Amino acid sequence: RRELREWFGARADGWRPLRTVLVRHAQPVQEPGSLEPLERDSVVGGRTFVCGDHRVHASLEGAVRSGEAAAQAVLDRLRS
């Protein structure tokens, strides 16, 4: 709520959750040590770029971080 208030101001104070949805098996099982190295490079070939939660860690944050890294790698390649 604090972050929403920073983004949207005082109007966010009155917001209430509508519902919570549990999605079973929404993320793959990732046992400790199964992702070595912890973060994998987005560039897997000369012109092949890969992203997804399997490249960082099994989470929405991992997918976003991986996507950002892949996009940056593409930009870097285009600029070189």
Side-chain angles (χ1 to χ4, degrees):
R1 289 181 195 252
R2 180 176 46 246
E3 188 171 21
L4 289 174
R5 190 173 210 289
E6 290 174 15
W7 294 349
F8 300 102
R11 65 183 171 168
D13 291 342
W15 294 355
R16 300 289 176 258
L18 298 176
R19 78 178 129 178
T20 300
V21 177
L22 175 64
V23 179
R24 296 190 187 284
H25 311 293
Q27 298 172 328
V29 174
Q30 203 171 64
E31 298 294 332
S34 66
L35 185 60
E36 296 294 335
L38 185 58
E39 293 193 19
R40 298 175 183 167
D41 196 5
S42 298
V43 183
V44 296
R47 293 175 45 182
T48 304
F49 301 86
V50 179
C51 64
D53 63 359
H54 65 288
R55 306 300 293 175
V56 181
H57 50 80
S59 69
L60 293 174
E61 178 192 1
V64 170
R65 285 179 54 191
S66 176
E68 289 174 337
Q72 187 61 55
V74 169
L75 289 172
D76 292 346
R77 179 65 51 89
L78 291 172
R79 291 179 180 139
S80 63

